[in-house]
Amino acid sequence: MSFGDSNVFEDLFTNRSYKISEDPAVFVKEGAHTVVLENKWQDEKRGCQTFNVNTTVVRNKQGVSGVIVYCEDEGKSEDNKGASESLSVIGELAASAVHEIKNPLFSIRGFLQILDNTLSESDKRKEYVKIMISEVDRLESLVKDFLMLAKTQNDSKELVWVCELVREVVELYKNSFEKKKIQFRLQAKDESVFLWANKDQLEQVFINLLQNALEAVEEGGSIDVIVSKKEEKVMIEVKDSGRGISPEVRDKIFTPFFTTKKNGTGLGLFISKRIVENHEGKIYFSSDEGKGTIFIVEFPMRETTVDDRLNLWYNVNLSE
Amino acid sequence: MERKNRILVVDDQIWVRRMLLEALQFQGYEVFGASSGFEALRLAAEMKPDLAVIDMAIPGMDGLTLLSKLREINLNLRGIMISGDGEKKSVKKALEGGAFAYLVKPFDISSLENLIRRALTS
Ligand SMILES: Nc1ncnc2c1ncn2[C@@H]1O[C@H](COP(=O)(O)OP(=O)(O)OP(=O)(O)O)[C@@H](O)[C@H]1O
Ligand SMILES: [Mg+2]
């Protein structure tokens, strides 16, 4: 492709052609750039418009397979800054508070373990110490979940390549799957599925769903993740061959602190639902007791039509 | 008789440090602690540790810088990094920076003990 001809960017912004006054090579450099475009048609006021352009280079095993370009009208982005900044301040505060809580919990747990090692099996105090350790563990996982909740306060969004994100999360679970001899399959029916989303939050949703699936299946069970595109929707399904969800608890599983697990906090699905809804998506499930469960997360596909807020992904094959 | 393996524990949180020191001493190691990178370097020059357990976020100099300085003095020193931050990026950076292992706080003391045993025999 050639950058010399401004036609390349026709349709990318509006249906008009623009001249780019800055070095157009920015489009192949990864990262954030500012591009000034000059309207070259005569019917409107002639002038420059500034865009924030974010480029991401997409790589596969063969090398670079494309470039994602996200453009944002500068004027618009300013408006939203105030709100999201104050939210991220709250999130950051909560996150550092959580870190402060972790250290004392850690030393308490450690000292209890030392005590545990020094007491003999017949000593009643050993049992007390064991209870204290498991209570500290409970506090720890609560704190961890709150950290997760704090992270959902950060609302900055970026273009997320769904299959790649799912692969990253699955990587975290490789060992646990192997340990439990789980047959895991990832089916990416459509590789080119992108979402405009907060990556950390989305990752958290998949972590929660995979963790639940892992906890639900017996040794040797199976877990499937399917990524697909259906009628303007992005669907991600997490399917397990686990114990299923009993009818009595079906309408409770998304409420905070509802859990049927000994060491559960009951925040996983609550947080996931909140995140998904923040992204204008839906989360639902169907379950067959004793046979398995499937959780489905659905997001509206980002439209690539052009409006005054210019969000789009543009996949260019550089090898051509 | 062979000399006991020496372990340096660097963490600025006093009770975390004390707890790690006691737990490792209980395992039969010779231990000593420092609360900052500079204190650690001074102690290491004198005590010549075989292994260091270092918190990533210590005052003065960050944990990884300390590890590389310790390894300048003794190339065979093993470093186990500990941190409250479990981000993949940080783990990767630590391992690439020469750490033998990375443990996310809070962890089970016995995992640290196992890792140390492995580090000292490898
Ligand atoms: N895949 C699944 N199979 C069977 N039951 C499930 C599954 N996913 C969720 N559940 C049920 O829903 C409940 C709530 O799930 P949720 O993830 O919110 O909390 P949790 O897993 O119990 O605790 P945590 O906060 O650690 O995630 C679970 O306790 C479990 O009973
Ligand atoms: Mg869960």
Side-chain angles (χ1 to χ4, degrees):
Chain A
M1 64 183 282
S2 101
F3 286 114
D5 189 343
S6 61
N7 281 338
V8 173
F9 300 103
E10 212 176 326
D11 287 321
L12 194 61
F13 299 112
T14 69
N15 284 323
R16 306 229 166 82
S17 297
Y18 287 86
K19 206 170 89 196
I20 291 174
S21 18
E22 279 189 14
D23 177 10
V26 291
F27 283 95
V28 288
K29 276 189 218 147
E30 206 158 7
H33 311 280
T34 304
V35 169
V36 183
L37 295 181
E38 196 185 316
N39 192 338
K40 78 174 182 187
W41 296 108
Q42 56 289 76
D43 54 336
E44 273 170 48
K45 281 171 272 164
R46 236 173 191 282
C48 294
Q49 202 168 355
T50 310
F51 293 90
N52 294 320
V53 177
N54 219 313
T55 48
T56 307
V57 175
V58 180
R59 293 183 181 84
N60 60 19
K61 285 197 196 79
Q62 280 81 44
V64 174
S65 71
V67 180
I68 302 162
V69 182
Y70 163 70
C71 301
E72 187 178 36
D73 191 316
E74 207 183 27
K76 276 275 174 177
S77 71
E78 288 297 323
D79 294 342
N80 300 329
K81 248 185 201 155
S84 63
E85 244 164 40
S86 67
L87 276 178
S88 69
V89 166
I90 297 170
E92 243 169 67
L93 259 174
S96 52
V98 162
H99 274 297
E100 293 310 309
I101 297 169
K102 270 188 184 170
N103 271 315
L105 280 180
F106 180 48
S107 61
I108 292 172
R109 195 188 193 284
F111 280 120
L112 286 171
Q113 253 187 308
I114 296 174
L115 263 183
D116 185 38
N117 288 339
T118 50
L119 293 169
S120 74
E121 284 304 327
S122 59
D123 198 327
K124 191 111 186 91
R125 285 172 298 180
K126 196 169 176 96
E127 189 196 339
Y128 303 158
V129 168
K130 287 222 152 59
I131 295 170
M132 287 193 266
I133 290 177
S134 83
E135 289 294 88
V136 169
D137 284 345
R138 224 151 57 94
L139 275 176
E140 264 169 27
S141 76
L142 255 174
V143 160
K144 226 168 80 193
D145 283 343
F146 273 115
L147 183 62
M148 203 152 87
L149 208 56
K151 273 191 182 163
T152 68
Q153 298 286 331
N154 176 359
D155 263 346
S156 67
K157 294 197 165 118
E158 62 188 300
L159 210 55
V160 177
W161 188 11
V162 178
C163 293
E164 195 54 28
L165 180 72
V166 172
R167 266 183 224 119
E168 272 173 31
V169 174
V170 166
E171 194 60 35
L172 298 174
Y173 277 90
K174 240 181 164 168
N175 286 338
S176 318
F177 289 160
E178 255 166 45
K179 245 194 212 151
K180 231 174 157 180
K181 302 198 176 59
I182 285 162
Q183 281 186 48
F184 177 81
R185 280 172 302 242
L186 170 66
Q187 266 187 67
K189 290 193 173 156
D190 204 321
E191 274 288 333
S192 62
V193 178
F194 293 90
L195 279 176
W196 185 244
N198 183 295
K199 201 172 163 193
D200 289 338
Q201 293 181 17
L202 219 54
E203 190 173 272
Q204 203 53 63
V205 173
F206 299 138
I207 288 177
N208 290 339
L209 294 180
L210 275 177
Q211 183 69 38
N212 283 346
L214 180 68
E215 285 164 355
V217 295
E218 299 286 326
E219 211 176 275
S222 71
I223 297 176
D224 286 273
V225 175
I226 305 152
V227 181
S228 62
K229 219 156 54 173
K230 280 194 191 98
E231 301 154 9
E232 307 303 306
K233 278 187 190 121
V234 175
M235 314 250 292
I236 301 122
E237 296 159 63
V238 179
K239 198 168 117 190
D240 68 66
S241 65
R243 70 177 95 84
I245 302 172
S246 75
E248 301 90 74
V249 305
R250 282 189 190 164
D251 51 354
K252 299 198 190 100
I253 61 168
F254 287 105
T255 39
F257 302 111
F258 175 80
T259 181
T260 57
K261 297 170 192 169
K262 210 171 110 218
N263 288 316
T265 313
L267 283 175
L269 285 176
F270 166 69
I271 292 171
S272 302
K273 187 173 160 116
R274 205 182 123 138
I275 292 174
V276 171
E277 285 172 355
N278 274 346
H279 285 83
E280 280 122 41
K282 270 194 266 181
I283 178 168
Y284 50 95
F285 66 97
S286 89
S287 185
D288 217 351
E289 227 185 331
K291 289 200 180 132
T293 306
I294 176 164
F295 271 86
I296 302 172
V297 184
E298 202 181 274
F299 295 103
M301 190 108 76
R302 192 81 216 174
E303 284 189 31
T304 48
T305 52
V306 189
D307 53 8
D308 61 335
R309 190 130 190 238
L310 298 154
N311 306 327
L312 47 92
W313 64 269
Y314 190 53
N315 208 340
V316 187
N317 211 322
L318 281 187
S319 54
E320 278 176 15
Chain B
M1 210 184 97
E2 224 179 303
R3 101 170 175 33
K4 280 185 187 173
N5 278 312
R6 287 186 177 162
I7 300 178
L8 168 65
V9 174
V10 193
D11 195 311
D12 62 320
Q13 299 266 327
I14 175 170
W15 299 121
V16 170
R17 186 172 70 241
R18 171 85 186 273
M19 180 271 288
L20 292 172
L21 287 170
E22 303 249 346
L24 297 177
Q25 193 169 35
F26 192 76
Q27 294 288 312
Y29 298 110
E30 197 175 316
V31 296
F32 42 103
S35 61
S36 75
F38 299 107
E39 194 187 344
L41 283 172
R42 214 186 50 232
L43 259 173
E46 192 184 320
M47 308 297 292
K48 309 207 165 23
D50 306 292
L51 186 144
V53 177
I54 308 169
D55 185 73
M56 291 284 278
I58 44 172
M61 101 185 45
D62 73 273
L64 279 180
T65 314
L66 172 63
L67 176 64
S68 63
K69 284 196 196 292
L70 286 172
R71 284 170 62 104
E72 271 169 32
I73 308 172
N74 172 11
L75 192 68
N76 291 321
L77 178 132
R78 304 269 180 223
I80 294 180
M81 308 308 291
I82 60 179
S83 168
D85 161 21
E87 299 268 330
K88 260 181 293 169
K89 266 182 284 179
S90 322
V91 180
K92 201 166 158 244
K93 206 174 126 199
L95 296 181
E96 283 169 358
F100 178 81
Y102 186 108
L103 277 174
V104 182
K105 283 186 194 173
F107 48 82
D108 198 286
I109 295 305
S110 52
S111 352
L112 176 66
E113 291 164 359
N114 289 337
L115 269 175
I116 289 178
R117 225 167 293 133
R118 265 184 32 213
L120 290 174
T121 49
S122 72

